[in-house]
Amino acid sequence: MASKAPLSLLLSLLVTSAFVAAEASAGPISRTVDITWGDGRGKFLNNGRLLTLSLDNSSGSGLQSKSKFLYGKFDMQIKLVRGNSAGTVVAYYLRSPGLNWDEIDFEFLGNLTGHPYVLHTNIFTGGQGNREQQFYLWFDPTAAFHTYSVVWNPSNIIIYVDNTPIREFKNLRSVGVPYPMKQPMRVFGSLWDADDWATRGGLVKTNWTLAPFTASFRNLNYDACIISNGRSSCKPKSSKRFMIQKLDLAGQNRLKAVQSKYMIYNYCVDKKRFPIVPIECTLS
Ligand SMILES: *[C@@H]1O[C@H](CO)[C@@H](O)[C@H](O)[C@H]1NC(C)=O
Ligand SMILES: *[C@@H]1O[C@H](CO)[C@@H](O)[C@H](O)[C@H]1NC(C)=O
Ligand SMILES: *[C@@H]1O[C@H](CO)[C@@H](O)[C@H](O)[C@H]1NC(C)=O
C-alpha cells in the first residue's frame, strides 16, 4: 500500500494535469461567473465559493459565465429553494445570443412542500425549441447540493444528474436535424417567478409571504473550449476527453432505466403536439 501510493498519486497527477491543460476550471464560483441581474439579490458568500440567488415579489436574479464556449463539459452544483417553492423556477443553461440562438436547458420547477420538483429540459437549435423532456428526481434536491452536467461536443449532447445520464441528443445533421456547432454559448443561472405555468401547469401560485426564496450554486467546473476574440482554446488540437465523450452500452442502459422510471413528459411521444414524430425521436 505505502509503496504503491506514490505511483498512483503520480499517475493521477499526470492524468489530472493533462486534463487541466484543456481549460479546466475549479475553485471559487466568483472566478468563473458574474452576477448579472437582480439588483443585489444575487450574492457571493464564503470567499466567492458560494453564490446565492434570490427572488422576491419585485425581482429574481441571475448569473452568467465570464467565458463563452464552443463545446465542453460543464458541471454545476445546485441546491434548490427549500420548503414551499411553488411558482418559482431555478434555471441552469447554456445559450448563445441572437435570434437564432442555441440553448441547452435545465429548469427546476418548484412545488408545494412535500411535493416533487420537476426537472424540465429542452434543447434549442437556431431559435427553435419544442424538445421538452421532464423528470422527477430520485432525491430531495433542496436538502443538499447535487451536480447537474452538460456534455456538448460535435457528436452529441448528454445531460447528467449526479453523473447519471438522463438525456441524449445526437448530432443528426446528416438527416436534417439542426445541431449546435457554430455559436459559442455562455453558462447561465437564474431564479425567477413563473407561477403562470410552472407548478401543476400554473394552478399553484407563488406564496409571496414566504419570500425571499433562495437557491445556491457552487463549483461551476468546466473542461471546455473557450472562445476568446474569435479564437478557440481548443486550437491547436490537443486531446480532450469531452470532445469524444458519448454513452457506451452501460451508459445507454442507465439512460433507459432512468427514463423509464423518472421521465414524466417526452415530446417524442406527444402525438397531439407532434402528429409527425420528430426525426431525432425516430432515430434514438
Ligand atoms: C412585496 O413584498 C413587500 C414585503 O413583504 C410588501 O411590503 C409589498 O407590499 C409587496 N408588493 C407587492 C406588489 O406585492
Ligand atoms: C407538484 O406536485 C404535484 C402533485 O404531487 C405533481 O403532480 C406535480 O408534477 C409536481 N410538480 C410540479 C412542478 O407541478
Ligand atoms: C402562505 O404562507 C403562509 C405562511 O406559511 C400561510 O400562512 C398561508 O396560508 C399561505 N398562503 C396560501 C395561499 O397557501
Side-chain angles (χ1 to χ4, degrees):
M1 185 83 171
S3 66
K4 275 183 189 159
L7 179 60
S8 60
L9 182 64
L10 181 63
L11 279 176
S12 78
L13 281 175
L14 282 173
V15 170
T16 317
S17 58
F19 211 45
V20 165
E23 302 297 340
S25 72
I29 189 167
S30 61
R31 282 200 204 140
T32 50
V33 311
D34 295 314
I35 293 168
T36 46
W37 62 280
D39 197 17
R41 289 175 183 80
K43 290 189 175 71
F44 288 115
L45 303 169
N46 300 355
N47 294 320
R49 291 185 182 280
L50 179 68
L51 189 167
T52 57
L53 295 180
S54 73
L55 163 72
D56 59 34
N57 64 3
S58 60
S59 179
S61 48
L63 65 90
Q64 96 180 29
S65 62
K66 293 176 189 284
S67 300
K68 50 189 179 187
F69 313 94
L70 192 68
Y71 305 130
K73 177 173 192 296
F74 307 86
D75 305 321
M76 180 79 95
Q77 294 189 333
I78 308 175
K79 189 158 76 171
L80 299 177
V81 175
R82 247 185 184 314
N84 179 355
S85 58
T88 74
V89 173
V90 169
Y92 159 52
Y93 57 105
L94 282 90
R95 181 184 164 128
S96 64
L99 285 176
N100 298 313
W101 77 95
D102 299 321
E103 179 173 330
I104 305 164
D105 274 341
F106 284 86
E107 288 186 339
F108 301 92
L109 316 185
N111 217 334
L112 294 168
T113 308
H115 291 266
Y117 263 84
V118 166
L119 167 53
H120 173 98
T121 65
N122 205 353
I123 292 169
F124 285 71
T125 51
Q128 185 69 43
N130 293 329
R131 298 196 181 93
E132 299 86 356
Q133 288 185 346
Q134 296 185 333
F135 304 83
Y136 286 141
L137 296 164
W138 48 94
F139 50 83
D140 173 1
T142 73
F145 283 93
H146 290 268
T147 304
Y148 304 95
S149 310
V150 172
V151 167
W152 168 37
N153 65 33
S155 37
N156 53 211
I157 291 165
I158 311 169
I159 295 178
Y160 295 85
V161 173
D162 288 336
N163 291 319
T164 296
I166 63 160
R167 178 164 188 177
E168 181 190 40
F169 184 73
K170 289 195 177 127
N171 185 340
L172 296 170
R173 268 177 12 127
S174 59
V175 290
V177 182
Y179 188 85
M181 299 193 79
K182 295 235 157 72
Q183 311 189 79
M185 303 201 228
R186 284 183 203 271
V187 175
F188 294 86
S190 57
L191 170 56
W192 41 287
D193 177 48
D195 72 0
D196 53 333
W197 64 273
T199 308
R200 297 185 57 209
L203 287 177
V204 187
K205 301 298 178 193
T206 307
N207 184 338
W208 291 112
T209 64
L210 307 170
F213 301 96
T214 302
S216 305
F217 295 72
R218 70 179 191 197
N219 294 339
L220 169 60
N221 289 337
Y222 50 78
D223 188 18
C225 305
I226 294 182
I227 305 295
S228 167
N229 297 322
R231 237 185 104 79
S232 168
S233 65
C234 290
K235 282 175 188 157
K237 241 184 178 173
S238 53
S239 71
K240 285 173 189 60
R241 216 168 58 175
F242 62 82
M243 286 299 263
I244 52 167
Q245 191 166 333
K246 58 182 181 189
L247 295 177
D248 58 10
L249 191 59
Q252 291 289 352
N253 287 337
R254 283 172 79 201
L255 177 82
K256 273 185 209 142
V258 167
Q259 291 192 343
S260 69
K261 214 164 164 188
Y262 297 102
M263 191 190 279
I264 55 169
Y265 178 80
N266 183 2
Y267 76 109
C268 286
V269 297
D270 189 339
K271 290 268 156 50
K272 273 196 200 134
R273 279 177 73 202
F274 305 102
I276 299 168
V277 179
I279 302 172
E280 68 272 20
C281 300
T282 62
L283 293 175
S284 291

